[in-house]
Amino acid sequence: MVVSENVAASPGASVFADALDVEIGCAGAYRTDEGQPWVLPVVRKVEKMIAEDNSLNHEYLPILGLPEFRSSASKIVLGENSPAVLEKRVGAVQCLGGTGALKIGAEFLRRWHNGGNTKTPVYVSAPTWENHNGVFANAGFEDIRPYKYWNAEKRGLDLAGFLGDLESAPEQSVIVLHACAHNPTGTDPSKDEWEQIAQVMKRRSLFPFFDSAYQGFASGNLEKDAWAVRFFVSQRFEIFCAQSFSKNFGLYNERVGNLTVVAKDEDNLTRVLSQMEKIVRITWSNPPSQGARVVSITLNNPELFTEWKDNVKTMADRVLLMRAELKAKLLALGTPGTWEHITEQIGMFSFTGLNPKQVEYLVKEKHIYLMASGRINMCGLTTKNIDYVAESIHEAVTRV
Amino acid sequence: MSSFSVFSHIPVADPNTGAKPFSDFKRDSHRDKVFLAGKEYVGEGGRSALLPLIRKIKQQMNSDPTLNPEYLPSLGLPHFTRRASELALGKDSRAIVENRVIGVQAVGGSGAVRLGAELLKCRYGDGSSWRGPVLLPSPFDESLSWIFKAAGVGDVHCYRYWDGEHRGVCVGKMMEDLEKAPEQSVVVLSVVGHWPTGSDLSQGEWKHVVEVLGTRRLLPFFLLRAQGLCSGEPEEDAWPLRYAVAQGLELLCAQSFSHNFGLYGERVGHLLCVLKENDNLLAVQSQAEKLVQALWAHPPLEGARVVTTVLSNPAHLVEWLDGLKGIAERCMVMRERLREKLRLLGGTWEHLVKSRGLYCCIGLTVQQVAFLARKRHVYLLPEGCLNVSAINSRNLDYVAESIHLALTSHI
């Protein structure tokens, strides 16, 4: 016996299975107007620099990662002049993508937060990215609960429900917040709504754990996309922020992530990082160098940084254009229903509001693959297919 | 504004004892200081160097316009896992031919161990957690024990392995400990180039061990690091693993490609799972995939791609094997030269050339190791083991003298 006989097959991760088999739409990766993956020009340039640099050593990185990566990555989300940065109470752990950052953060909180009580609730939005649940559960949290977020009827944020769930959350609960471009709904709280959320969380002593996978990619503007995180920090919250550079650098397969920690003071930060180091050691020992080097060189060089911001804006603008075009075409076709949400939502994904039957029609009859939830990946739209998609949606809505 | 910190009760973590020699070395300003406690292969020049072949391949990869930036599958780059499995088991391995092998790309050897530990935890498949026992060879890298515990497998013990007095593997005691282990225990075994002692079992001794593993129904979890660096021949170095597979054992194997490709920072690892039968292969694979999702979701591409490129191209393969032989030879040469120097100063040092690869154990007490660090600025691993590649023409005399002093001074 031993390993083989009794291991049960795990239920398929349906989102990844669906996404692999698509014609239009793709598994959370940006595509150009030609439907191709895009290596950012600045990334290609920096990778060449790295390949030709004979002085680079190829030894193990420090356990917490490349120092210049960690600090520049944290500054990107918090702002260089963030009081927390200036007060030296910001630290970071280089991780394997956003998932890795969530993992290390979750493992830390399970051990050290709220007296190490594994029944401390972790709240994730309803709906949320499929993997949030798995990461926190595998880290040992026993009580992972949804907070109300998406109002399907009005196709927008259920703020009252959200605030209500926060009010009734036990103190010290961990709240997973999407920094911007909420996955999968594309619906973010407004500034005013974030202020209300922060107020309740402060009063109820709830711990904010931000997931920032789309900074720059959502609006095209780095500062705008980081507003919520910066606001919480300005309100003197201690936070974790899991940053992913997969999308905004197009470095999906090099797994570049950063767990930014904002603590009350430097002493707390030091102790936290010392415990994080132990956790990293028993997970992957030390992180991979390539992606972090690319990001670090780019962020720390003014010219390259400007070029990167341009590249990011290119991606964001294309998505915004597709949103605008899709809405315009649906309106022009006179497709029943309101389509404002297509342009009000932000980032890679959009909850179209199509019902399961309409989705099935699109998949079976029109060969347009989208999630059963009606979630569409805007990156899958191109100038060549947008008419077809708009017409197909029109058919789905009018016939089904 | 609340002055309460959610982190205020968190203590500073215990210092990482493994990192102590290096931090002491960094603080040491003595001009003759020598660091012999590292894990990486160090060239004659005193630095770890990128193999020219690897540099060339990275540059080629970089100018390849067809490179796709998208996520790798969770199980890793398919060509990589195939090549990694073949390198470890041999292309014609029964297990591969019979489709009883699962290969998962992991983040370094450590990541492979972590993934293997997580997989073992759910080995019963009924929702309950298997918690051990896991047996590690003494001495062992403390992080191995932590990894199993972090995965929820808390019952971790040692079996006797290194005999400091006789400066070799105490096979008899090892066999005793394995015979006493409860059925279904997992036994961690170093395939070759044991860290930190460098001492391995002979083929005859392996045959006994494999027999006991079979009769006592113990599950081997092999660690295959630096394959090819010890003897200069990957097949020879992998013999124990291949023998176990040929005997029909079910096993796990965590492979690291750090040393034999000089790809330390790139984190190239692989978890092999050899099953007795393949009816449950897809189920086990799906579990592994689910576990990866919760660890790192997808592994990093660069290093795995380099390894795959080398292993898939005959010309690259020849160049790589040559490079390995060069490293293995240099390590053996340094061992012989150290042995000679020490022999001239006094004592018998044959055990230095009996073991192969990067590491060897001098055989020093804790006090002697401390003496070396404090008085001679020579830094060894706590058990008196050292990385032979860090010895070179410039520091050989000093190192030999220092060891001699440590043994002969009244400490």
Side-chain angles (χ1 to χ4, degrees), chain A residues 233-274:
Chain A
V233 172
S234 76
Q235 300 301 297
R236 307 289 301 187
F237 276 92
E238 292 175 304
I239 67 162
F240 281 179
C241 181
Q243 300 168 262
S244 166
F245 293 89
S246 294
K247 282 84 170 169
N248 58 13
F249 265 84
L251 283 169
Y252 305 92
N253 56 28
E254 296 299 355
R255 315 306 293 125
V256 201
N258 195 49
L259 177 68
T260 286
V261 176
V262 180
K264 184 187 170 300
D265 56 41
E266 200 175 347
D267 177 63
N268 275 295
L269 179 71
T270 307
R271 286 182 281 105
V272 168
L273 291 179
S274 77

Side-chain angles (χ1 to χ4, degrees), chain A residues 183-254:
Chain A
N183 179 356
T185 68
T187 297
D188 293 336
S190 66
K191 284 185 183 174
D192 179 66
E193 287 165 340
W194 273 121
E195 285 176 19
Q196 294 180 58
I197 291 162
Q199 227 176 57
V200 179
M201 286 184 64
K202 180 71 93 160
R203 195 168 18 87
R204 300 285 310 140
S205 299
L206 305 175
F207 184 80
F209 195 152
F210 279 96
D211 184 345
S212 174
Y214 300 100
Q215 189 185 0
F217 189 96
S219 69
N221 181 299
L222 293 169
E223 287 76 36
K224 198 164 167 208
D225 290 347
W227 187 88
V229 176
R230 296 178 186 194
F231 176 71
F232 270 68
V233 172
S234 76
Q235 300 301 297
R236 307 289 301 187
F237 276 92
E238 292 175 304
I239 67 162
F240 281 179
C241 181
Q243 300 168 262
S244 166
F245 293 89
S246 294
K247 282 84 170 169
N248 58 13
F249 265 84
L251 283 169
Y252 305 92
N253 56 28
E254 296 299 355

Side-chain angles (χ1 to χ4, degrees), chain A residues 1-11 13 16 26-31 36-39 43-44 46-49 51-61 63 96 99-100 103 107-116 129 131 134-135 138 172 202 207 236 238-240 244 246-247 250-255 261-264 268-269 271-272 274-275 277-279 281-290, chain B residues 1-14 16-19 39-40 47-50 55 58-59 62-72 107-108 110-112 114 118-126 141-143 145-147 150 184 217-219 250 252 256 258-259 262-267 273 275-277 280 282-284 286-287 290-303:
Chain A
M1 129 24 153
V2 271
V3 173
S4 53
E5 284 160 21
N6 303 316
V7 174
S10 88
F16 294 107
C26 41
Y30 174 80
R31 291 282 169 86
Q36 294 303 311
W38 195 48
V39 175
V43 168
R44 207 179 271 288
V46 174
E47 283 181 340
K48 189 163 193 284
M49 282 163 58
E52 290 169 1
D53 182 355
N54 292 338
S55 72
L56 275 181
N57 85 50
H58 293 264
E59 289 163 8
Y60 293 119
L61 284 186
I63 296 172
L96 276 276
T99 303
K103 169 70 174 174
E107 290 277 349
F108 176 91
L109 291 171
R110 187 261 295 165
R111 283 168 174 72
W112 297 109
H113 182 60
N114 198 23
W129 179 51
N131 209 11
V135 170
N138 189 270
Q172 305 306 323
K202 180 71 93 160
F207 184 80
R236 307 289 301 187
E238 292 175 304
I239 67 162
F240 281 179
S244 166
S246 294
K247 282 84 170 169
L251 283 169
Y252 305 92
N253 56 28
E254 296 299 355
R255 315 306 293 125
V261 176
V262 180
K264 184 187 170 300
N268 275 295
L269 179 71
R271 286 182 281 105
V272 168
S274 77
Q275 294 294 354
E277 201 173 292
K278 290 202 83 160
I279 295 170
R281 254 199 99 185
I282 46 88
T283 316
W284 50 66
S285 195
N286 31 64
S289 50
Q290 175 69 357
Chain B
M1 173 168 62
S2 164
S3 59
F4 169 70
S5 166
V6 297
F7 306 127
S8 48
H9 63 283
I10 294 167
V12 177
D14 294 333
N16 175 3
T17 53
K39 277 203 164 131
E40 292 127 334
R47 285 194 67 193
S48 75
L50 195 59
R55 186 187 304 287
K58 282 192 173 196
Q59 283 170 348
N62 181 258
S63 43
D64 179 352
T66 68
L67 273 190
N68 182 329
E70 295 188 348
Y71 292 116
L72 283 182
V107 183
S110 296
R114 178 60 187 260
E118 297 268 353
L119 196 57
L120 287 169
K121 190 175 72 171
C122 58
R123 67 194 283 191
Y124 292 138
D126 60 3
D141 182 345
E142 59 184 348
S143 62
S145 162
W146 297 344
I147 289 175
Q184 300 193 19
R217 292 159 62 98
L218 306 172
L219 179 69
E250 199 162 55
L252 292 178
S256 162
S258 296
H259 299 87
L263 289 171
Y264 299 96
E266 289 79 352
R267 314 307 292 123
C273 185
L275 305 174
K276 276 210 158 74
E277 277 127 22
N280 212 26
L282 289 177
V284 177
S286 76
Q287 280 298 344
K290 189 173 167 209
L291 291 166
V292 168
Q293 293 294 331
L295 287 169
W296 50 71
H298 318 267
L301 171 66
E302 199 214 13

Side-chain angles (χ1 to χ4, degrees), chain B residues 95-261:
Chain B
I96 293 182
V97 169
E98 293 166 12
N99 193 25
R100 295 187 282 114
V101 176
I102 296 171
V104 185
Q105 182 185 342
V107 183
S110 296
V113 175
R114 178 60 187 260
L115 183 59
E118 297 268 353
L119 196 57
L120 287 169
K121 190 175 72 171
C122 58
R123 67 194 283 191
Y124 292 138
D126 60 3
S128 70
S129 294
W130 177 79
R131 298 200 185 278
V134 172
L135 279 67
L136 301 173
S138 167
F140 58 86
D141 182 345
E142 59 184 348
S143 62
L144 279 178
S145 162
W146 297 344
I147 289 175
F148 279 99
K149 290 179 178 165
V153 176
D155 188 4
V156 178
H157 307 288
C158 269
Y159 58 87
R160 289 168 293 178
Y161 185 79
W162 168 254
D163 180 345
E165 216 188 300
H166 297 103
R167 298 177 183 177
V169 182
C170 49
V171 188
K173 294 184 181 160
M174 175 180 170
M175 300 295 288
E176 264 177 45
D177 291 346
L178 295 188
E179 296 269 7
K180 285 203 303 258
E183 291 201 351
Q184 300 193 19
S185 298
V186 165
V187 182
V188 173
L189 296 153
S190 168
V191 178
V192 72
H194 175 260
W195 185 92
T197 67
S199 277
D200 299 327
L201 299 170
S202 68
Q203 283 193 4
E205 289 163 347
W206 272 115
K207 289 182 177 170
H208 288 312
V209 168
V210 168
E211 205 186 310
V212 170
L213 293 172
T215 53
R216 296 288 307 143
R217 292 159 62 98
L218 306 172
L219 179 69
F221 194 155
F222 285 99
L223 303 180
L224 181 53
R225 297 190 268 230
Q227 183 187 359
L229 268 192
C230 296
S231 66
E233 304 277 355
E235 293 94 65
E236 191 179 324
D237 281 356
W239 186 88
L241 173 66
R242 297 183 184 195
Y243 178 75
V245 170
Q247 298 305 299
L249 289 193
E250 199 162 55
L251 55 87
L252 292 178
C253 177
Q255 296 168 259
S256 162
F257 294 84
S258 296
H259 299 87
N260 51 6
F261 280 83

